[in-house]
Amino acid sequence: MRLRFLGSASEAGACPSLYKTDRATSVVQGLEVVDREARADLRHVLDGDTAVEVPRELLVEIARRALPDHH
């Protein structure tokens, strides 16, 4: 699998960061959610799964860049 960097919520490029793959999927790089109560709220966690917290601003910025400009 190959990754292409899409963006980060940090000015310095620190995590969390979002990547596009060559398999039509996405990868999130960031700190793992370790809070026990939050992890208990996750559903259908499979072996090898983890959870990464992503700021809303990162998703909004990536979506804004991905949508065609209609001006």
Side-chain angles (χ1 to χ4, degrees), residues 23-39:
R23 301 190 318 190
T25 60
S26 299
V27 171
V28 176
Q29 171 192 355
L31 296 175
E32 181 179 4
V33 174
V34 294
D35 180 277
R36 286 185 178 175
E37 288 181 357
R39 290 192 64 84

Side-chain angles (χ1 to χ4, degrees), residues 40-54:
D41 291 334
L42 295 172
R43 298 178 183 189
H44 313 293
V45 179
L46 303 175
D47 288 344
D49 281 356
T50 193
V52 175
E53 187 173 10
V54 179

